């Protein structure tokens, strides 16, 4: 194992060893869990200028810091802060950059609870204004911008339809107007997309999905540079949403296998997406990893790979689409993704849009399940 941090250069090095301070931890090959709420200050240090790094657990914790150091390095950011959920991270990133009377421009296909936070909390209760756009072209961002716009909120690829925003173009426009950019980078993970290097100010993730990776924790993270991260830290310390040490330890464990898990998800999702596209009952597949994706060129420019949530439109009515989902045996119905298990969402209202997460089960088993249910549509 490397002794100097300068020897840690690649993403895989970071996943494995950055922040694992073996000597400090008595040689423990995995960083231990600091399950304490408090670090006391030796009396001789009471009068000294720089206080201890760790003091109270709502502010910071050594186990949580290990995870944060790895995330900051992966995102090529100066600092990362971990939160008790993805929503705690998203709301903190927003709260750190807005005040009453400000205006936010927001991608309308982003994760629904984020939209609810902006609409039902910030706008309805605290006097913010928001404009919702598809985010597909830069003109839309320009047209939506007002004198009081302070934040552009991106999610690329977005939830359910997996559409992309041009991160470099949007961040350039934002910088020219003094606007802060925040992106939900959960789908791509910091391994496949590094928004900070493209000029975005803050990158947020749910850690409950791929980064945790085992459907056993709820967590989130914000990464970015100073002085913005100090503002995010202030929000975390006051609102109290820090990630707890046990969950941080599990998140760090998840990171160790993130790269190999993503390779497997990407491979299986590619196979499933191409076969879905060729099936007569499927009208359209929404997956940035397909050559037919309308923003494929942009996807290749700003992402290093594709992960596995994808969606498709069925050629049938809503009732038949719901029956299609009910017949599946290997896809669980549930509002999450990023774990070992394949998941499916139930099409709502008049929709025939089905979202799936292609898990790590045998891909032929998964495809046989999808195909046999597709073949039964209309029978
Ligand atoms: C699940 C999810 C979130 C919220 O994360 P939690 O950890 O559940 O709070 C945010 N963004 C996206 C894209 C998600 O899928």
């Amino acid at each position: 194992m490397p002794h100097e941090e300068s020897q840690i250069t690649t993403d895989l090095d970071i996943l494995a060893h950055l922040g694992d301070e073996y000597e400090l931890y008595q040689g423990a090959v995995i960083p231990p869990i600091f399950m304490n709420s408090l670090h006391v200050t030796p009396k001789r240090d009471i009068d000294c200028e720089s206080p201890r790094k760790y003091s109270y657990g709502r502010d910071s914790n050594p186990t949580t810091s290990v995870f944060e150091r790895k995330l900051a390095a992966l995102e090529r950011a100066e600092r990362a802060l971990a939160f008790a959920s993805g929503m705690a991270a998203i709301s903190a990133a927003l709260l750190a950059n807005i005040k009453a009377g400000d205006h936010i421009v927001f991608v309308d296909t982003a994760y629904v609870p984020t939209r609810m936070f902006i609409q039902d909390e910030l706008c309805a209760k605290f006097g913010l204004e928001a404009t919702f756009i598809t985010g597909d072209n830069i003109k839309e961002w320009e047209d939506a911008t007002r004198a009081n716009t302070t934040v552009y909120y991106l999610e690329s690829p977005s939830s359910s339809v997996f559409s992309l925003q041009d991160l470099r173009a949007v961040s350039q426009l934002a910088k020219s107007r003094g606007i802060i950019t925040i992106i939900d980078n959960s789908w791509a993970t910091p391994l496949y997309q590094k928004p900070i290097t493209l000029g975005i100010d803050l990158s947020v993730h749910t850690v409950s999905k791929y980064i945790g990776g085992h459907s056993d924790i709820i967590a989130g993270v914000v990464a970015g540079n100073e002085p913005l991260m100090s503002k995010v830290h202030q929000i975390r310390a006051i609102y109290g949403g820090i990630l707890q040490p046990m969950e941080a330890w599990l998140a760090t464990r998840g990171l160790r296998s993130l790269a190999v898990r993503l390779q497997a998800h990407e491979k299986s999702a590619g196979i499933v997406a191409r076969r879905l596209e060729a099936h007569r009952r499927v009208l359209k597949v929404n997956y940035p990893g397909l050559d037919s994706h309308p923003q494929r060129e942009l996807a290749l420019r700003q992402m290093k790979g594709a992960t596995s949530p994808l969606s498709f439109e069925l050629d049938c009515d809503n009732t038949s689409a719901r029956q299609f989902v009910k017949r599946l045996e290997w896809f669980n119905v549930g509002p999450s993704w990023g774990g070992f298990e394949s998941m499916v969402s139930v099409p709502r209202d008049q929709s025939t849009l089905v979202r799936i997460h292609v898990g790590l089960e045998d891909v032929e088993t998964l495809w046989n399940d999808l195909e046999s249910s597709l073949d039964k549509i209309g029978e």
Side-chain angles (χ1 to χ4, degrees), residues 85-87 90 111 155 159 184 186 206 208-209 218-219 337:
S85 71
M87 281 311 296
I90 289 166
Y111 185 62
E155 185 178 303
S159 295
D184 186 329
S186 300
T206 170
S208 321
K209 314 290 168 54
I218 296 290
W337 49 274

